[in-house]
Amino acid sequence: MKLEGKKVGAALTGSFCTFDKTFAALQKLKEAGADIFPILSNASQTIESRFGAPEAYLARVEEITGRKPILRIEEAEPIGPGGYLDLLVILPCTGNTAAKLANGITDTPVLMAAKAHLRNSKPLVLAISTNDGLGMNLKNIGLLLNSKNIYFVPFGQDDWEKKPNSLVADTSLLLPALEMALEHKQLQPLLTDVAAQK
């Protein structure tokens, strides 16, 4: 199933080191003809880090998508009753967001968007990016892997020597992962060698 004309929610959380790849993936999604609805977590819209400033992130998201992002919980809630998204991707999905999602916590615009979207039995795709994916967060990833209507962009260890617990999604596989999710299928293989692509 192709992405042209599909209404895709794109939710960013605070894995700032992956934002360059995130923006490149969003650009490819736009070029594929998707109608993108951006959503930013509290962290991604407020924290300045060595990777950049939140104002720059907001401007880049708006430039790519042509829309002002959803920035507040109350702005994300209508995604549920409105039912206007065909699918939602959290890109990147931090360990913090994955943990909260797995445990039913809804305290950011991104988590509210995910909760609202899932109530419509439509696909939610996670592009995981966490330094403790094979540590404390492995149990949460396991819960999400076994949750209805939740799919993953294939992921792997990005630096097994220096960060043996770290997992990151292969964003080059975003579009095929989204296409498969529209068919309620998980893109395979799920595990990939992202370290080899550096």
Side-chain angles (χ1 to χ4, degrees):
M1 187 177 292
K2 298 301 180 184
L3 295 164
E4 185 172 1
K6 297 297 181 183
K7 291 179 169 56
V8 180
L12 280 69
T13 66
S15 180
F16 304 111
C17 62
T18 64
F19 270 26
D20 282 345
K21 289 184 178 180
T22 294
F23 293 137
L26 285 178
Q27 185 63 50
K28 287 183 180 178
L29 182 58
K30 185 69 174 179
E31 290 167 3
D35 189 7
I36 305 174
F37 294 76
I39 306 141
L40 269 67
S41 71
N42 298 334
S44 64
Q45 61 181 284
T46 59
I47 294 175
E48 184 165 350
S49 72
R50 61 190 172 96
F51 298 102
E55 296 81 11
Y57 304 146
L58 287 164
R60 186 76 179 112
V61 165
E62 190 171 342
E63 177 189 350
I64 293 170
T65 66
R67 279 197 174 87
K68 290 190 177 297
I70 291 171
L71 301 176
R72 300 187 305 172
I73 288 175
E74 57 268 34
E75 294 171 350
E77 190 274 336
I79 289 172
Y84 58 86
L85 295 180
D86 294 302
L87 63 88
L88 172 64
V89 58
I90 303 179
L91 171 78
C93 180
T94 61
N96 187 54
T97 296
K100 289 180 176 182
L101 183 61
N103 288 281
I105 298 170
T106 309
D107 63 354
T108 74
V110 168
L111 289 162
M112 174 54 79
K115 175 184 176 181
H117 179 69
L118 282 170
R119 88 174 211 174
N120 296 319
S121 298
K122 293 181 180 179
L124 170 65
V125 179
L126 308 180
I128 202 76
S129 179
T130 173
N131 284 329
D132 68 345
L134 293 177
M136 290 293 289
N137 237 317
L138 183 58
K139 61 185 177 185
N140 298 312
I141 292 171
L143 285 170
L144 294 168
L145 281 168
N146 284 285
S147 297
K148 189 175 180 181
N149 296 318
I150 295 181
Y151 307 92
F152 283 75
V153 177
F155 57 83
Q157 290 174 278
D158 54 308
D159 189 349
W160 57 267
E161 291 182 300
K162 295 179 182 176
K163 302 185 296 179
N165 288 338
S166 182
L167 294 176
V168 66
D170 181 352
T171 53
S172 72
L173 298 174
L174 175 66
L175 269 57
L178 296 181
E179 289 173 353
M180 290 296 288
L182 283 169
E183 298 179 18
H184 291 275
K185 296 177 182 177
Q186 172 62 54
L187 179 66
Q188 297 290 343
L190 177 62
L191 301 179
T192 187
D193 189 0
V194 292
Q197 299 175 27
K198 287 187 174 182

